[in-house]
């Protein structure tokens, strides 16, 4: 039986960043990352918008607020120092109804409290940044520090650097059993490894992996699908920056937005936030989980009836956006002149690992890190976990018991 100091389950951005920081801080050198797929970045870390968020949305004091700005700064510096692709295009956030105007002040206040660079701008200033946009209330938010990167490029670079440091990445190794008393994991191909400390960074499967350790039994992941369309040709619109709607802060989705790709070649429109039929249901019949779906639809119907987190607003406004006319309507709330013939379906699609607390019967907004005997479980690593990953890794390490292990 092989043994190692640290086992990390999951070779996504969270697991890779954790390994990177454990090594860089001299906490551990003997690290094995277990990844069930044959490549890294197959799931959420390789399927997101690639936006390095500037930290304006999150409740001051939340874990998201604590790590987003620092994480974005560190990742930007890391990306720049390696000459990877970076689009420093900023972001405008525009109310789609006059009645949302007072929420601009709330978002601005949150941004300032979190330490973000953020400005309230008028329509004249907005039009200078994005000529085709207009705020119905006359005001919008400008976030100059929002950037766009190429997620898979970052994952590949991290993989190279981790391997150079001697960190082992084992692919096609699905961990399906954990004996926490004996500190042993077993893989699907029946290999057993001993560890001193275990980190569960398994994204969409993180609740199931936590349950193998009898941890977080009150949590389950409700997967939400994010589909993207794109502009057929940007010559007509000349969009340069991220254009986001002012979000409903009571639900954990930012709404359909326009995002220029890091290489400035495409303008993506999305992602939607609709119920996924399986955690890895990327194609119609792939990864279907009928029992999970029935359970989740039951939970979501209850949310609708109880209207927790104003869930009914989400259902009415966002849940149908995978139908093109609804998507187009959301896009037109940001750029009124966009037409059906100007957009096409892109092959980009990601699934959010949205956590649900079955005790409190509500969607969880913040990141959740649970420490157990010799293990830490990272649940709800939703957006902005990619942005935050380096700072989030430090937070996970500092709040875990990893340094006190024998
Ligand atoms: C549509 C969409 C858009 C987003 N946009 C942004 C954005 O613009 N900016 C931002 O900051 N964030 C964004 N996010 C969020 C961001 O992508 C995630 O927070 C981040 O990628 C999570 O990384 P992760 O490592 O936790 O998960 P993953 O990337 O999913 O990695 C988990 C890994 O664990 C592996 N695994 C699972 N179970 C096992 C097992 N039993 N054994 C071995 N391996 C296992 C999986 O195969 C997977 O590779 C977006 C998310 C979505 C869905």
């Amino acid at each position: 039986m092989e043994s190692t100091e640290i086992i990390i389950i999951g070779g996504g951005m969270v697991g890779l960043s954790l390994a990177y920081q454990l090594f860089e801080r001299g906490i551990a050198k003997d690290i094995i990352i277990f990844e069930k797929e044959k490549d890294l970045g197959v799931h959420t870390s390789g399927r997101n918008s690639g936006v390095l968020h500037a930290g304006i949305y999150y409740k001051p004091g939340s874990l998201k607020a604590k790590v987003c700005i620092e994480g974005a700064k560190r990742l930007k510096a890391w990306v720049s120092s390696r000459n990877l692709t970076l689009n420093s295009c900023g972001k405008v956030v525009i109310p789609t109804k006059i009645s949302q105007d007072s929420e601009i002040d709330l978002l601005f206040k949150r941004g300032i409290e979190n330490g973000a660079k953020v400005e309230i701008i008028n329509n004249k200033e907005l039009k200078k940044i994005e000529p085709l946009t207009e705020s119905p209330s006359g005001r919008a938010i400008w976030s100059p520090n929002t950037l766009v990167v190429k997620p898979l490029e970052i994952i590949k670079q991290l993989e190279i650097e981790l391997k150079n440091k001697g960190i082992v990445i084992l692919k096609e190794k699905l961990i399906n059993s954990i004996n926490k008393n004996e500190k042993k994991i077993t893989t699907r191909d029946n290999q057993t490894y001993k560890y001193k400390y275990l980190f569960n960074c398994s994204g969409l499967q993180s609740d199931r992996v936590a349950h193998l350790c009898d941890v977080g039994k009150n949590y389950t992941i409700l997967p939400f699908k994010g589909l993207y369309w794109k502009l057929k040709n940007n010559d007509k619109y000349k969009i340069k920056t991220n254009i986001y709607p002012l979000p409903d802060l009571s639900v954990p989705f930012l709404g359909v937005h326009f995002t220029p790709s890091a290489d400035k070649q495409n303008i993506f429109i999305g992602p939607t936030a609709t119920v996924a039929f399986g955690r890895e249901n990327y194609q119609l019949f792939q990864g279907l989980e009928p029992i999970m779906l029935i359970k989740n639809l039951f939970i979501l119907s209850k949310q609708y009836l109880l209207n927790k987190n104003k869930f009914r607003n989400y259902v009415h406004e966002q849940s149908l956006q995978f139908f093109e006319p609804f998507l187009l309507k959301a896009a037109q709330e940001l750029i009124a002149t966009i037409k059906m013939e100007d957009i096409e379906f892109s092959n980009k699609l990601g699934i959010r690992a949205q956590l649900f607390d079955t005790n409190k019967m509500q969607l969880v907004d913040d990141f959740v890190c649970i420490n157990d005997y010799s293990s830490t479980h990272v649940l709800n690593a939703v957006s902005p976990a990619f942005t935050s990953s380096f700072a989030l890794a430090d937070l996970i390490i500092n709040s875990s018991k990893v340094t006190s292990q024998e």
Side-chain angles (χ1 to χ4, degrees), residues 9-15 34-37 39-53 173-176 201-206 209 224-228 244 271-272 280 349-353 381-388:
I9 309 178
M13 192 59 184
V14 175
F34 285 79
E35 168 53 53
K36 71 182 171 73
E37 306 295 344
D39 292 308
L40 302 185
V42 167
H43 296 291
T44 324
S45 296
R47 296 171 165 275
N48 59 50
S49 303
V51 175
L52 294 197
H53 289 288
K173 289 281 179 203
L174 183 143
I175 291 179
N176 59 5
C201 306
S202 52
L204 283 156
Q205 310 293 341
S206 55
V209 171
F224 283 90
K225 198 176 261 192
L227 299 161
Y228 294 83
Y244 278 60
T272 58
E280 298 173 8
L349 141 68
I351 299 183
R352 292 175 186 79
V382 287
S383 184
F386 193 95
T387 303
S388 316

Side-chain angles (χ1 to χ4, degrees), residues 336-390:
T337 48
I338 293 280
K339 295 193 180 57
M340 189 75 94
E341 63 260 29
D342 296 333
I343 65 174
E344 63 187 356
F345 194 59
S346 82
N347 56 6
K348 206 166 137 93
L349 141 68
I351 299 183
R352 292 175 186 79
Q354 176 58 50
L355 202 65
F356 184 81
D357 185 333
T358 50
N359 283 350
K360 295 187 184 150
M361 282 306 286
Q362 64 185 28
L363 297 169
V364 181
D365 188 39
D366 208 0
F367 302 143
V368 173
C369 302
I370 308 176
N371 293 318
D372 186 42
Y373 171 69
S374 297
S375 65
T376 295
H377 302 263
V378 186
L379 305 174
N380 214 31
V382 287
S383 184
F386 193 95
T387 303
S388 316
S389 49
F390 284 0

Side-chain angles (χ1 to χ4, degrees), residues 13-169:
M13 192 59 184
V14 175
L16 299 178
S17 305
L18 193 59
Y20 192 85
Q21 297 307 333
L22 282 166
F23 186 94
E24 287 291 291
R25 289 174 56 183
I27 295 169
K29 293 200 166 21
D30 186 13
I31 303 171
I32 305 182
I33 300 172
F34 285 79
E35 168 53 53
K36 71 182 171 73
E37 306 295 344
K38 71 175 188 337
D39 292 308
L40 302 185
V42 167
H43 296 291
T44 324
S45 296
R47 296 171 165 275
N48 59 50
S49 303
V51 175
L52 294 197
H53 289 288
I56 56 180
Y57 296 115
Y58 319 111
K59 269 191 201 130
S62 63
L63 295 182
K64 285 183 178 179
K66 277 186 192 147
V67 291
C68 183
I69 294 178
E70 195 209 319
K73 268 190 206 150
R74 284 167 63 178
L75 194 51
K76 180 190 172 188
W78 190 89
V79 165
S80 306
S81 66
R82 282 143 181 92
N83 275 327
L84 302 182
T85 323
L86 192 66
N87 184 353
S88 305
C89 55
K91 163 165 88 170
V92 290
V93 185
I94 307 174
T96 52
K97 304 179 196 88
I98 295 181
S99 58
Q100 284 181 318
D101 188 68
S102 60
E103 285 171 45
I104 292 180
D105 299 309
L106 174 73
L107 215 57
F108 176 74
K109 199 164 157 257
R110 273 193 185 183
I112 297 294
E113 274 181 57
N114 292 342
K117 192 168 181 207
V118 54
E119 292 166 36
I120 296 180
I121 53 174
N122 59 30
N123 260 333
K124 205 172 146 197
E125 292 160 311
L126 175 65
K127 279 181 174 297
K128 256 196 210 157
I129 298 167
E130 272 305 341
L132 296 177
T133 55
E134 181 160 318
S135 162
S137 77
R139 299 196 306 159
I141 282 189
W142 168 233
S143 161
N145 287 345
T146 301
L147 315 163
V148 187
V149 293
K150 265 191 186 169
L152 272 177
E153 193 181 58
I154 293 177
I155 297 283
K156 286 203 175 103
Q157 182 66 25
L158 264 173
E159 180 177 5
I160 294 169
E161 294 192 21
L162 287 172
K163 283 184 177 162
N164 289 343
K165 290 178 199 301
I167 290 167
V168 177
I169 303 177

Side-chain angles (χ1 to χ4, degrees), residues 207 210-211 213-220 370 379:
D207 57 336
H211 297 171
C213 287
D214 269 333
V215 169
K217 287 288 183 107
N218 58 315
Y219 290 116
T220 186
I370 308 176
L379 305 174

